[in-house]
Amino acid sequence: MAVNKEAYQRIATYCSRAGATLVAVSKTKPIEDILALYELGHRDFGENYVQELVSKQSQLPADIRWHFIGHLQTNKVKYIAPFVHLIHGIDSLKLLQEVNKQAAKCDRSIDVLLQVHIAQEDTKFGLDEQELQALLSFPQLPAMQHVQIRGLMAMASFTNDEEQLKAEFAAAKQIFDRITYNSVLVKSPHLLSMGMSNDYELAIAAGSNVVRVGSLLFGARHYPQ
Ligand SMILES: *Cc1c(COP(=O)(O)O)cnc(C)c1O
């Protein structure tokens, strides 16, 4: 088993002192690895793929808080709506409407984060500030009773350049501050999800209060060919 319990204790302590939620990103990793952290008391786990998440959820304890951190397709929302704790990557009005609709069917309210684009690479998903404002100004939004927008999710560039990472995280924090201040539709407690294995300390220093850490806890991922 590849779970690094020492790294877990260290990172969990770091996050808890900083007031940040540690989401253990378990994509591609087996049930036993998730249970190993569960037994240490961990409850927040993140997955990127709907099918994998649904399968794991059905085999694991019901008190796990499942975070969906991948790119969610509209036609798959229905599979995770019954149980998902937080959807991190909402990047369109259409997707938000579908989450609202599926949550209503389950008689739930689902917490979501809007994905903001900060990376210099243009491969990463997300909305720029103007698009965020446009989404938050949509006239039907206040009537969506089954979604709660809690804040933003951001992914920095894939780089070791600390200055660049700091600049990108700072940009995300500024946008986060503006939208949480300006929009009554962003409900507290406000969440800013940014930071991964490579950069979670920098992200927390910049104001992140949710970090998504995978490989430091579970080891490198191996994708099937
Ligand atoms: C896989 C993934 C992570 C975790 O990445 P690590 O570098 O392994 O910590 C975090 N966030 C998102 C959106 C991911 O897809």
Side-chain angles (χ1 to χ4, degrees), residues 2-134:
V3 177
N4 187 335
K5 293 186 183 178
E6 277 164 45
Y8 169 71
Q9 298 292 8
R10 180 170 47 79
I11 298 165
T13 303
Y14 187 92
C15 289
S16 110
R17 285 190 183 141
T21 298
L22 170 62
V23 177
V25 176
S26 47
K27 63 180 176 229
T28 80
K29 297 298 175 181
I31 296 289
E32 304 82 73
D33 288 6
I34 296 173
L35 276 176
L37 290 193
Y38 181 88
E39 279 155 15
L40 297 177
H42 200 71
R43 292 295 178 271
D44 289 275
F45 292 90
E47 290 282 342
N48 288 57
Y49 309 103
V50 167
Q51 227 185 335
E52 184 178 352
L53 170 55
V54 168
S55 159
K56 285 174 170 173
Q57 191 271 341
S58 70
Q59 299 172 67
L60 283 158
D63 63 342
I64 288 181
R65 293 183 288 269
W66 290 105
H67 296 247
F68 190 82
I69 64 168
H71 188 248
L72 184 56
Q73 287 171 282
T74 311
N75 61 346
K76 295 197 172 157
V77 173
K78 57 177 176 284
Y79 302 114
I80 63 171
F83 64 84
V84 71
H85 175 69
L86 179 66
I87 300 175
H88 288 231
I90 300 287
D91 62 357
S92 74
L93 180 61
K94 194 170 133 233
L95 186 54
L96 192 63
Q97 286 173 308
E98 180 65 12
V99 174
N100 186 59
K101 179 176 151 195
Q102 296 301 333
K105 284 191 189 167
C106 307
D107 202 17
R108 299 187 67 205
S109 171
I110 297 179
D111 285 357
V112 302
L113 303 178
L114 305 177
Q115 187 164 355
V116 60
H117 180 95
I118 48 164
Q120 288 180 359
E121 306 153 6
D122 40 58
T123 52
K124 300 251 160 79
F125 296 102
L127 307 166
D128 64 27
E129 187 167 8
Q130 236 180 344
E131 292 167 325
L132 278 173
Q133 296 292 2

Side-chain angles (χ1 to χ4, degrees), residues 195-206:
M196 310 181 12
S197 290
N198 213 21
D199 52 23
Y200 73 93
E201 286 154 307
L202 287 176
I204 286 174

